[in-house]
Amino acid sequence: MNLLRPNIAAMQGYVPGFQPPDIASWIKLNTNENSYPPSPKVVEAILAELGTDGARLHTYPSASSQQLREVAGELYGFEPSWIIMANGSDEVLNNLIRAFAAEGEEIGYVHPSYSYYATLAEVQGARVRTYGLTDDFRIAGFPERYEGKIFFLTTPNAPLGPAFPVEYIEELAQRCAGMLVLDETYADFAEGTALELVKKYDNVVVTRTLSKSYALAGMRLGLAIARPEVIAALDKIRDHYNLDRLAQAACVAALLDQEYLRECCLKIRETREWFSAELRAMGYNVIPSQGNYVFAAPPDRNGKRVYEGLFERKILVRYFSDPILCHGLRISIGTQHEMEKTLAAMKEIG
Ligand SMILES: *Cc1c(COP(=O)(O)O)cnc(C)c1O
């Protein structure tokens, strides 16, 4: 089809983690979803919004998601004008590129982290530069002054697990001539956050999602926190009805039930620490993680062998063929019961 833009014709497209059709018969630990259900209040709120006859669905939802911005603002300590809601944080990552990086301009990110930034940049026709990590978990060769339009920093890092210290992120904010986007997808599982930097540096944006910690990947809910000028720009770009009615109702209920979130994240963190210790006792190398996943390498450094052994037993984890990641696996932390079964299977596989 030679009518296509050349960059679209040439691009591969992002390949999301495998979602098996017979999902209920698997232990699914490949996409960092939450194995626990969302707060019961979320289900109540969705049913209330739906009503008995779905009579509210014939009208458009709030275009501004104003109530959500207020609730999120209250939670994170920002005025609503500093917050934008998104149809999954992926939507706002896309709109950040559209707002800041024109065709031919550069965006950067750490490899390994979230390669979807590159896909979004390709669509835009922006150039992509990646930086590796040093042994002490800093960005290798990051320039004194980074001139790209956006640098995306996934913190905690996925798939590896550690978070970058706030002092280091602050230094990066000073060294970026363009925007520094902190993808804090996994912050609710972590010890700290760099959210305070949004108030201090006008080029810092933080993105969050309800997909992982709030167990709402299926509802597509994310948000960004930034200066009002940045939020106003993102507001111009987004689909005007980007969040549907049910998603908005779910979002308010989820954000208001912080006690449920805390308990759920605590359980996952406890299981993560237990599972990491058990794997280390088996001779695995496990990177200390701040997320709801661990990156673990077997003694023979053959990630594929263990992936296949688990797959045969209907346990799905994430294997990356990339040479810097193929020695290990990223394993999402499910319920304690799921992780006990996974551990037993890994012992069998050896
Ligand atoms: C899961 C994930 C996202 C996407 O989140 P959604 O809100 O579901 O779009 C973004 N960044 C990272 C690093 C993720 O792991």
Side-chain angles (χ1 to χ4, degrees), residues 88-90 93 114 154 183 185-186 209 211-212 220-221:
S89 61
D90 284 347
L93 296 171
Y114 190 42
T154 317
D183 181 342
T185 290
Y186 299 103
T209 175
S211 293
K212 317 283 168 51
R220 312 306 302 126
L221 286 163

Side-chain angles (χ1 to χ4, degrees), residues 5 12 22 27 82 95 113 131 133 149 185 192 206 228 235-236 238 298 331:
R5 290 168 62 204
Q12 295 288 317
D22 54 338
I27 294 183
W82 290 61
N95 288 341
S113 71
Y131 290 88
L133 290 166
K149 295 296 171 177
T185 290
V206 167
D235 236 346
K236 288 193 263 186
R238 68 178 171 85
I331 306 173

Side-chain angles (χ1 to χ4, degrees), residues 36 156 160-163 186-192 264-280 286-295 331-336 339:
Y36 294 101
L160 299 181
Y186 299 103
D188 290 326
F189 303 104
E191 247 128 64
C264 188
C265 292
L266 183 64
K267 276 190 287 191
I268 291 169
R269 285 161 57 171
E270 282 173 359
T271 300
R272 177 186 75 201
E273 295 312 305
W274 168 83
F275 185 70
S276 302
E278 290 287 329
L279 287 185
R280 286 187 190 113
V286 186
I287 302 174
S289 174
Q290 297 270 299
N292 64 337
Y293 50 88
V294 289
F295 192 84
I331 306 173
S332 307
I333 302 298
T335 63
Q336 180 70 25
M339 301 322 285

Side-chain angles (χ1 to χ4, degrees), residues 101-102 104-108 126-129 131 146-150:
E105 292 182 330
E106 179 179 310
I107 68 114
R127 285 182 296 115
V128 176
R129 188 185 299 269
Y131 290 88
Y146 177 69
E147 296 288 349
K149 295 296 171 177
I150 309 180

Side-chain angles (χ1 to χ4, degrees), residues 5 53 75 136 163 169 171 247 250 267 302 307:
R5 290 168 62 204
D53 56 359
L75 175 63
D136 60 347
I169 299 174
E171 193 190 310
K267 276 190 287 191
N302 188 343
Y307 169 84

Side-chain angles (χ1 to χ4, degrees), residues 14 31-32 86-93 113-117 154-159 183-186 207-212 216-218 220-223 292-293 330:
Y14 184 74
T31 49
N32 296 347
N87 185 9
S89 61
D90 284 347
E91 184 205 10
V92 81
L93 296 171
S113 71
Y114 190 42
S115 63
Y116 191 52
Y117 310 130
T154 317
T155 181
N157 175 279
D183 181 342
E184 288 200 333
T185 290
Y186 299 103
T207 64
R208 293 287 184 97
T209 175
L210 280 77
S211 293
K212 317 283 168 51
L216 287 172
R220 312 306 302 126
L221 286 163
L223 60 126
N292 64 337
Y293 50 88
R330 190 195 66 193

